[in-house]
Amino acid sequence: MTDDVQNIVSKLDQEAKTLPARKNRCIQHLTELGYISIGAVNAVTDSGVEKAKEEFLQDAAASGLYTALELRRAVFEDDAVTDLLARAVDIDEGFVFNELPAEGDCNLITRIIHYRLDIFGLWELPVNTGFSKAVSLSKIKTIAGHAKCSPLEAVNFMADVEKFTKRLLSVNDKEKFVIVSRPQKIPDRDFVRRLDRRHKFKRQLIEDFGTKTDFIRHLTNDILNNHPALSDHSFLFRMSQDDFSRFILRLIQVHQWQEGLYEGLLDSDIGEVTIKSIINAVDLYNITNRKNIQLHRVLTYVNNGYFLFNALFFLQEYMIEDDSLNEAKDAEEIILGNILESAARANDTQLTAFGLKVDMLKAEAVAAGIRHPQEKQGLLKRIYYGIRNLFKKVVKISKQIFRLVIELSDRFKGVLKKIFGHFFEQLSKGLKAFTDGIKYIMGRKSTTTHARDAMISSVIRIDGDSFSIVSGNAGPLIPLHTKKVEYHVASMTFSLSIVGGVMKVILSAINVISWPFIVFTIISIYKQISESFRKLESITT
Amino acid sequence: MSTIQDILDKINSTVNDMTVLEIKTLMGDLEMVNGEINFKPDQDIQGITSRIDLVDGDITTRITEEFYNKYPELVQWHQSREAKGNEIIEGNILTVSRMISELRKIL
């Protein structure tokens, strides 16, 4: 039995080394916030990244947005800077501000605001430009106009895309969400022919909107007819240039990007890639809600490269989630729990297939982690790393995720990559805490501070024993070294708890089950212990 | 990676060892050997060692004169570790005891 246990622990050690790195996520976020310029991102060096991180940390400390504990973690834990950056670029549950910046301000808050405007296609200057009434506030007011709210509310709406979408739907006339679009590159004829559902789309429009308004009557009589040559092309062109329409299309693109259904550039161009992502969204909706919505409910090709899009239905049905699951944490626990339950009931063939497909997802996550963020056509090709809204959406099919992973069809690969990418990140943190815990127990976790010819290295054991080696003129290093040691001592109890939890899993699972089961149980334990420590920190700090 | 038996033995011996604090702060010329920092051989090591019996309160401290005279900030550092040692025990004893009792149920 001891050999089996030892094999599992060794395998966990190996697993930790194969998990995706977060370095390129860090580079992406630093670029999004203007600490690395888009023009330089393709060839940024390690020292360039370090300099950008330092600048960000200084701004973060001055911003008042982070707790002292979060800032300390970022100093003493290699990967924690990425966590701070992730919070800054979050548009699911991003920072909420109490006031707008002043004219000329240039700090982390102004960068975040400009970043949000950039996400919604309204910012063309560098993100680290100073805040100005003439430009920044003017763009914020565009958003405020669409959402019929104050500029400050608009800034905060952009930090919660779902809430923002609900707001837009509630304050704008429904017919404004019937959108005309013409992609820059017209898809090929076969693709377009498959999407020509004018008649069904027309019937659906009448059902949804009635024929009371001139706009809908014009669409149904003069656009969605059998005679393309007679269609009102000037109307189509005007509608395709409408600011609100283009904004809604961008909003849809952002939603799709958030959920892993769209991996192209955020460029407001509803081309073939975006349209395919919409088709996949309809498929996902049908599976999660056991419905059979046809594509014409949402989209049709018209003629001459123009598409009509029922964004009202799309946003209402696909993009807004059930508020009964208010906490994405609940959704994540349910999803994890259902994956574990499915794994526990699966036969050997299914488990093997699941394990292989999880490895494939991991390989893609690792490759994405290695792939440097790229500038393309002046835009940053980026991945959305947030997961909150996707979990709330996918929880409905959490009992099917095990099967969907085994099938790993192209339609849902993007969604599964995002879900499992998040789990791999949790696993990486869990295994690091486990490894640290083992080192603390064995007396091998050292804290070292050095500068030129001076150095202090300390090993603090779990029984309170302390062994420090000092050399040279180490006096000036003591204040920093003390902070580092106190930080590691504070994380010691957490790491020991993880060791206890993981050891229990390993020793209980010896005669059973499968590697994926062990791995997902560890993720679940890590999350539970992290949550209890987070609650404790919020009480005691 | 340590074997499971090593880890379990270490946890057990740690619990037994929580009544005595050993604090050492040592100075000398250092070298890296197989990725670990060690003192170079054949030199006089300066520093302080303390042994604190938490049960009967006995404290034994040894300090080299040169270290005491020349490096007061490092002496202070050593004393801070003595003060913190007890806190570390208090912080960990519950977690470690729980770990042992749960693992014993399984093994």
Side-chain angles (χ1 to χ4, degrees):
Chain A
M1 183 165 116
T2 303
D3 285 346
D4 290 336
V5 169
Q6 188 51 50
N7 285 340
I8 292 173
V9 171
S10 301
K11 208 170 163 188
L12 280 176
D13 197 35
Q14 289 308 309
E15 181 81 32
K17 292 172 187 155
T18 65
L19 291 169
R22 299 215 291 168
K23 179 185 161 190
N24 284 320
R25 177 176 180 177
C26 181
I27 294 174
Q28 177 184 305
H29 294 333
L30 286 167
T31 310
E32 286 172 316
L33 292 170
Y35 292 100
I36 297 172
S37 75
I38 289 183
V41 73
N42 288 358
V44 69
T45 59
D46 286 349
S47 63
V49 173
E50 285 311 304
K51 190 162 166 277
K53 272 191 206 173
E54 275 169 30
E55 203 185 334
F56 164 70
L57 282 173
Q58 277 172 13
D59 282 356
S63 68
L65 295 173
Y66 300 99
T67 64
L69 182 60
E70 283 175 311
L71 292 167
R72 224 171 28 238
R73 270 203 191 112
V75 173
F76 300 132
E77 274 183 34
D78 288 341
D79 217 18
V81 176
T82 307
D83 291 335
L84 298 193
L85 285 163
R87 287 197 60 202
V89 301
D90 189 357
I91 55 170
D92 277 338
E93 278 180 317
F95 288 121
V96 172
F97 302 124
N98 297 324
E99 58 182 9
L100 290 176
E103 179 80 19
D105 277 357
C106 182
N107 50 40
L108 181 56
I109 292 175
T110 61
R111 287 170 190 261
I112 290 172
I113 291 174
H114 292 156
Y115 157 78
R116 291 176 186 176
L117 288 168
D118 178 47
I119 288 291
F120 287 100
L122 286 166
W123 190 255
E124 286 162 5
L125 298 172
V127 166
N128 57 342
T129 305
F131 190 86
S132 73
K133 285 185 181 143
V135 184
S136 315
L137 187 57
S138 156
K139 298 296 182 185
I140 293 169
K141 282 180 175 172
T142 304
I143 300 272
H146 293 326
K148 297 187 173 41
C149 63
S150 70
L152 180 61
E153 285 174 317
V155 163
N156 291 328
F157 269 134
M158 286 191 283
D160 185 334
V161 174
E162 189 180 350
K163 201 168 159 187
F164 185 26
T165 305
K166 281 182 185 168
R167 173 73 182 194
L168 290 166
L169 288 166
S170 70
V171 301
N172 287 285
D173 292 335
K174 288 181 185 173
E175 63 183 48
K176 288 181 75 174
F177 292 89
V178 180
I179 310 282
V180 178
S181 171
R182 190 171 196 268
Q184 286 174 13
K185 185 173 169 250
I186 311 297
D188 70 47
R189 199 180 284 180
D190 285 338
F191 184 77
V192 149
R193 197 180 298 131
R194 277 187 281 130
L195 296 177
D196 188 343
R197 297 283 182 271
R198 275 173 284 158
H199 303 296
K200 289 184 176 176
F201 187 88
K202 174 176 162 178
R203 281 203 293 276
Q204 194 63 60
L205 261 192
I206 295 169
E207 199 177 302
D208 287 344
F209 293 91
T211 49
K212 295 178 193 143
T213 68
D214 290 340
F215 174 68
I216 298 297
R217 268 201 298 272
H218 193 57
L219 276 180
T220 52
N221 295 340
D222 301 317
I223 306 295
L224 294 164
N225 56 35
N226 282 332
H227 306 288
L230 299 176
S231 287
D232 187 349
H233 290 123
S234 65
F235 172 82
L236 286 171
F237 176 74
R238 269 198 330 275
M239 293 307 301
S240 71
Q241 301 303 302
D242 176 66
D243 280 344
F244 184 78
S245 293
R246 291 178 65 77
F247 177 74
I248 292 299
L249 287 174
R250 179 61 168 242
L251 176 67
I252 287 168
Q253 214 177 38
V254 169
H255 270 289
Q256 298 289 83
W257 172 64
Q258 281 187 294
E259 283 162 26
L261 291 163
Y262 176 70
E263 293 179 346
L265 291 175
L266 285 179
D267 58 6
S268 305
D269 181 46
I270 309 300
E272 193 169 324
V273 175
T274 309
I275 292 172
K276 278 181 178 164
S277 78
I278 291 167
I279 295 169
N280 289 342
V282 173
D283 274 346
L284 183 62
Y285 175 83
N286 284 337
I287 290 179
T288 57
N289 293 280
R290 296 175 200 266
K291 290 198 175 171
N292 187 24
I293 303 296
Q294 300 296 307
L295 189 60
H296 68 259
R297 191 76 180 75
V298 171
L299 177 72
T300 186
Y301 177 72
V302 182
N303 62 61
N304 205 24
Y306 287 99
F307 288 84
L308 263 178
F309 191 38
N310 185 347
L312 179 71
F313 178 81
F314 189 76
L315 290 171
Q316 280 176 334
E317 293 299 317
Y318 301 144
M319 298 300 144
I320 308 287
E321 272 322 299
D322 183 358
D323 275 340
S324 64
L325 257 181
N326 282 324
E327 291 291 326
K329 285 195 284 290
D330 299 332
E332 192 176 347
E333 276 166 29
I334 292 171
I335 290 167
L336 260 176
N338 281 330
I339 290 175
L340 283 167
E341 217 178 280
S342 301
R345 283 199 312 263
N347 61 40
D348 286 348
T349 309
Q350 288 166 326
L351 282 170
T352 305
F354 181 77
L356 279 170
K357 294 299 169 74
V358 167
D359 282 345
M360 281 171 66
L361 287 169
K362 187 167 58 170
E364 296 215 16
V366 168
I370 291 170
R371 206 176 301 129
H372 203 83
Q374 292 287 310
E375 170 268 330
K376 194 176 170 186
Q377 299 163 23
L379 300 172
L380 181 67
K381 195 165 186 327
R382 48 184 147 189
I383 299 169
Y384 185 71
Y385 290 97
I387 200 77
R388 170 187 171 243
N389 282 336
L390 181 59
F391 272 152
K392 284 167 72 174
K393 204 163 280 178
V394 164
V395 71
K396 290 178 207 171
I397 56 160
S398 54
K399 292 186 181 181
Q400 299 176 54
I401 286 180
F402 188 83
R403 177 180 60 79
L404 287 172
V405 169
I406 292 174
E407 288 168 8
L408 205 55
S409 69
D410 283 342
R411 284 186 312 176
F412 305 118
K413 209 175 184 184
V415 170
L416 291 171
K417 266 164 54 177
K418 279 190 73 64
I419 293 170
F420 281 80
H422 174 75
F423 287 147
F424 295 141
E425 200 172 274
Q426 300 296 299
L427 180 63
S428 180
K429 289 181 179 178
L431 289 179
K432 182 176 180 307
F434 175 71
T435 311
D436 279 349
I438 299 291
K439 285 181 184 169
Y440 281 126
I441 289 169
M442 303 308 290
R444 289 194 199 133
K445 177 80 176 161
S446 64
T447 305
T448 303
T449 309
H450 60 87
R452 291 195 191 154
D453 62 349
M455 193 204 72
I456 310 179
S457 184
S458 300
V459 171
I460 314 293
R461 300 201 166 108
I462 62 173
D463 59 3
D465 288 353
S466 156
F467 177 54
S468 297
I469 303 178
V470 301
S471 94
N473 182 11
L477 299 180
I478 289 174
L480 176 58
H481 189 71
T482 304
K483 281 186 188 165
K484 282 167 84 168
V485 165
E486 293 313 323
Y487 177 75
H488 282 142
V489 165
S491 63
M492 191 189 283
T493 311
F494 175 73
S495 297
L496 291 176
S497 301
I498 297 289
V499 170
V502 171
M503 294 281 277
K504 203 172 148 190
V505 168
I506 294 171
L507 292 168
S508 304
I510 287 306
N511 295 322
V512 186
I513 321 194
S514 67
W515 186 246
F517 183 86
I518 294 173
V519 160
F520 281 95
T521 308
I522 289 171
I523 295 171
S524 185
I525 284 171
Y526 171 75
K527 289 197 65 57
Q528 286 165 29
I529 293 175
S530 297
E531 188 54 30
S532 66
F533 270 76
R534 212 184 334 262
K535 283 180 182 153
L536 188 60
E537 274 168 8
S538 69
I539 294 166
T540 56
T541 54
Chain B
M1 185 78 168
S2 311
T3 67
I4 288 297
Q5 200 54 55
D6 292 338
I7 295 167
L8 295 171
D9 289 345
K10 192 70 183 177
I11 294 172
N12 267 322
S13 74
T14 295
V15 170
N16 294 333
D17 202 29
M18 276 181 170
T19 58
V20 174
L21 261 182
E22 294 207 27
I23 312 291
K24 297 180 185 175
T25 305
L26 303 175
M27 173 188 280
D29 291 332
L30 303 174
E31 61 182 4
M32 189 78 86
V33 177
N34 297 326
E36 286 190 6
I37 300 168
N38 280 315
F39 287 113
K40 287 181 183 170
D42 302 323
Q43 62 171 319
D44 287 333
I45 306 291
Q46 299 286 326
I48 318 176
T49 67
S50 300
R51 189 175 188 282
I52 304 165
D53 190 320
L54 296 170
V55 175
D56 57 25
D58 282 349
I59 303 177
T60 308
T61 302
R62 292 197 175 100
I63 181 166
T64 60
E65 192 175 345
E66 186 183 331
F67 191 86
Y68 180 75
N69 289 328
K70 282 176 83 172
Y71 305 106
E73 66 281 5
L74 292 172
V75 173
Q76 254 186 326
W77 157 258
H78 179 92
Q79 287 165 340
S80 74
R81 295 326 314 157
E82 288 177 359
K84 292 288 184 182
N86 211 5
E87 281 177 31
I88 292 170
I89 292 174
E90 280 173 17
N92 289 337
I93 194 162
L94 200 59
T95 308
V96 174
S97 305
R98 201 180 294 143
M99 199 193 304
I100 290 173
S101 80
E102 295 212 356
L103 294 181
R104 275 191 184 141
K105 281 184 214 164
I106 299 168
L107 283 171

